[in-house]
Each structure stands twice: as C-alpha cells, then as structure tokens.
Amino acid sequence: MILEHKITLVTGASRGIGKAIALELGKYGATVIGTATSESGADHINQYLGEAHVSGMGLVMDVSNIEHINNGIETIQKSLGDVAILVNNAGITRDNLLARMKDDEWDSVLQTNLKSVFCLSRAVLRAMMKARSGRIINISSVVGTTGNPGQTNYAAAKAGMMGFSKSLAKEIGSRNITVNCVAPGFIDTDMTRSLSSDLQQSLIQHIPLGRLGRPEDVAAAVVFLASPAADYITGATLHVNGGMYME
Amino acid sequence: MEITEIEQRIKKIVAEQLGVNESEVKNESSFVNDLGADSLDTVELVMALEEEFECEIPDEQAEKINTVQEAIDFVAANTTQ
C-alpha cells in the first residue's frame, strides 16, 4: 500500500474533514495519530480507527497550546517513531463582522488555525530533515482566497497558511520535504450545517457541481498529496470546491 | 572532555551532515566555502552540534561558527562534560 507504515499525524481528527482524512490515509496503510481536544474525542478516534483496522491512536492535544504540541510529538516519537506526514487540519471559527469583532475572537482563531501550523511544523521538521523526506499538508479554505464577510479572522488565518506553506516549501525543498495546502470549499460538516438552510441553498447555486462537498472529497486530495504520486508537487494549493472558485 | 575528543566528534558530525569524506574536514575548513554547505546545512549542523553536546547555541553565537575550528572552540568553551 502506498502509505504503508508511514507515521501520520492528523490534527482535529475527531469528526468532519479530519476524521475522513484519518480514515482515508489509514485505508492506504498509514499509521494514523489523530488529535482531539478532549479525552472523549480521543476515545472516539481510537474507536473508529480500531473499527476500520487502521493502526494508530487518538491523542489529546490542544493545538493552541505549545506544551501540548511538544509533549504530543514526544509521545508519538517514543511510542511509534518520527512523524513522516503531518496534516494540519484542526481549526475553529469565531465569526463576526469586523466592526464588532473582539480581540479574543481574532486571537483564538489565529492561534488555533495558524500558529498551530507553525508550532507543529517546527516540531516535526527536524526528524523530516534528517530523514530527507516528509510531507506537510495544511488544510486551508476557499475563504482564504475569496474572502468572506464575517470571517476576517478565519480568512486571514487560512490565507496565512498558504503563504506559510510556500515559504516553508522553498526553505526545505532541498531536503525532499513537500509542503502543500488543500483548500476545501463548502463541505457538509458540523461547521457548515450550522448555517441556515436558505444560506446553504444560495451557496449551492454558486457551485457548478451543484452540491456541497463531502469530507471524503477533501480526504482524497490529502491522500494524493501524501502519496508518492505527488513527489514533485510543493508549494501548491489544491482547491476542492466543486468549482465555486476557480484559479 | 579532551580537545582531541571534541575535534573527532565534530569532524564526524560535519562529515555526516555535509556528506563529505571525513579526511576532507580540516580544522581550518569553512563549512560554506570549503565544504559546500548552504544556509540550511549550517542550521542543521548547529542543531546537530546542540544534540551531540547537549548544549544550546544561540543564533548570535551560531552566526560566528563558520569553520570547524570555530565549532571546536565554541564547544570547548561552553560544555562541561
């Protein structure tokens, strides 16, 4: 299998896109460590990985906490080995119009969605550099490219990921480590289900493929970027959005 | 720790890290000019030295370590092993 025994870390893997990514990577042989912020989330990850016969484990990690990150990476290193594939998926929204946005709403989104990418990438980079191979895949968003009212914080973080990825891709390309983004459009998850059905309908009108995306649609793109088929792709953003935004 | 021991360990790390033959690594060798290191190589080298000698090399010190001898001097002055 193309990802046999590759140690893979997927943040925010208890549900939605992260869960689909963890399962899809596991299907191709990867050993998957999925993170969640709570014990119950980590238990759920253990449960679904076990049911799918995927090796790996759920791990409690708050990606906005640098100590959690460093301890988590150490735990993985000791129990399973060095991370070969990092998927930065964990993310939150705190939507508000800018005129009403609180410092806390800005900071928490930037901390969880963007600073975590920096901290986790740095934490796994040394081992990847030594191994002369590695994959970092950052789950951005169409909103990082198009913008969206009420999401200045979220869009800034998601666009920030793309600039981060391109810069890091240039820094460590010589070590055979690739850094790419996947930018989902509107995917059918808890995050989008909270939108009103009227809003959902109007969104679908702007999607040429005429439906919301499935988490599995995003997961397939991640598997591709993680696989040897994507050896020569770095610094790229792969849009998975049903055509709602085209580059 | 004896200077000769430091020297041996550093030359071994430099050779491994930069993919050169250990016989090419002289005390006066410059990592960039003589051994073909790029900026990322020198960062990796500093990190490897930190690991090997269990010390921390601040950026402003690291910038001054450009040759094998400078690395030996730094380690000799900053480790108590």
Side-chain angles (χ1 to χ4, degrees), chain A residues 71-82:
Chain A
N71 292 341
I73 296 294
E74 205 181 313
T75 304
I76 294 165
Q77 212 272 329
K78 279 184 182 150
S79 56
L80 295 163
D82 292 324

Side-chain angles (χ1 to χ4, degrees), chain A residues 116-162:
Chain A
S116 64
V117 175
F118 153 68
C119 293
L120 276 155
S121 300
R122 187 178 56 180
V124 301
L125 200 55
R126 180 98 182 98
M128 287 184 180
M129 283 164 77
K130 272 191 181 169
R132 292 284 191 274
S133 97
R135 293 275 201 264
I136 298 176
I137 301 162
N138 297 320
I139 308 305
S140 180
S141 166
V142 66
V143 159
T145 316
T146 61
N148 198 25
Q151 292 200 307
T152 49
N153 50 1
Y154 189 75
K158 294 300 184 182
M161 272 184 178
M162 296 181 201

Side-chain angles (χ1 to χ4, degrees), chain B residues 30-63:
Chain B
S30 152
F31 303 130
V32 174
N33 298 329
D34 301 320
L35 303 174
D38 64 17
S39 62
L40 191 57
D41 287 320
T42 56
V43 168
E44 273 191 286
L45 190 55
V46 165
M47 289 163 85
L49 290 173
E50 288 179 328
E51 232 168 64
E52 175 76 15
F53 296 101
E54 290 171 8
C55 62
E56 199 162 311
I57 309 177
D59 283 348
E60 57 273 21
Q61 292 284 337
E63 280 165 25

Side-chain angles (χ1 to χ4, degrees), chain A residues 104-116:
Chain A
D104 166 58
E105 290 167 341
W106 175 270
D107 289 341
S108 58
V109 167
L110 269 288
Q111 179 93 23
T112 300
N113 297 12
L114 185 58
K115 191 174 179 189
S116 64

Side-chain angles (χ1 to χ4, degrees), chain A residues 52-69:
Chain A
H53 305 290
V54 173
S55 66
M57 62 181 181
L59 186 69
V60 178
M61 181 192 282
D62 175 358
V63 297
S64 69
N65 181 324
I66 181 74
E67 269 177 48
H68 267 220
I69 289 176

Side-chain angles (χ1 to χ4, degrees), chain A residues 135 137 178 180-182 220-228 230-231 233 236 238:
Chain A
R135 293 275 201 264
I137 301 162
T178 67
N180 292 291
C181 288
V182 171
V222 172
V223 168
F224 167 62
L225 288 173
S227 77
D231 269 350
I233 300 176
L238 190 46

